[in-house]
Amino acid sequence: MKKTGKQTHTHANVSQLLAELQRLRERVSSLETRENQNRQASELLQIFSMNSPVGLFIVQDRRFLFANKEFERLLGVPVQDLKGTYSLAPVHPADKEMVRQAATRMLKGEAIGPYTYRVYNKGHRVRWVMEGVVSVQYQGKRAALGHSLDITDRVVAEQ
């Protein structure tokens, strides 16, 4: 049986469609793999941050967006109550300007080493913290990722 031009053209279209279908299947498989890897990484990050012995937080536009349980313990404020609050609110008045300047320098790209300052916890007790912050992109905007360590016992012992 002799193939006509129309049959050859249809056969070529079917072959192209099958090849495209295979490429789409491979792409979907790749996206599913990447989504699974992202989900696993996110879960590990969540486990790490919530079980860290160091207080972790994210500040954006001068407001807390995220804090872990250790940061909650340090300030004595539940994480859900901390979200959205002004980031310098717990800082001792005498230390606010120094902390603000450190954050400004960090957001401008300067390397900022750990620094110490005082905070008031929920019980209005002064706690000393050693903190470090780095600039990160979070939800498409610049933010500060910080880590705080309660050093009150060490400072009191030194005094």
Side-chain angles (χ1 to χ4, degrees), residues 73-148:
R73 187 198 65 72
L74 172 69
L75 294 181
V77 178
V79 169
Q80 63 271 16
D81 293 347
L82 192 61
K83 288 182 182 176
T85 62
Y86 181 55
S87 61
L88 293 181
V91 178
H92 190 283
D95 298 336
K96 281 187 190 216
E97 185 58 24
M98 182 270 302
V99 173
R100 189 192 63 72
Q101 286 178 10
T104 300
R105 290 193 328 268
M106 177 274 306
L107 288 172
K108 288 181 179 178
E110 289 183 40
I112 303 297
Y115 51 95
T116 61
Y117 64 95
R118 295 163 288 180
V119 295
Y120 284 112
N121 68 9
K122 189 173 182 176
H124 298 288
R125 291 182 43 224
V126 173
R127 306 298 298 170
W128 282 91
V129 297
M130 179 186 303
E131 181 174 279
V133 291
V134 294
S135 178
V136 296
Q137 286 292 317
Y138 183 72
Q139 298 178 343
K141 292 172 60 180
R142 186 179 297 260
L145 171 63
H147 57 279
S148 294

Side-chain angles (χ1 to χ4, degrees), residues 46-77:
Q46 185 74 12
I47 290 167
F48 171 75
S49 68
M50 287 305 162
N51 293 295
S52 175
V54 175
L56 302 171
F57 61 88
I58 296 175
V59 170
Q60 192 174 64
D61 297 326
R62 300 181 188 150
R63 304 279 173 198
F64 286 109
L65 296 184
F66 167 83
N68 70 349
K69 291 291 186 184
E70 183 59 21
F71 197 71
E72 174 184 293
R73 187 198 65 72
L74 172 69
L75 294 181
V77 178

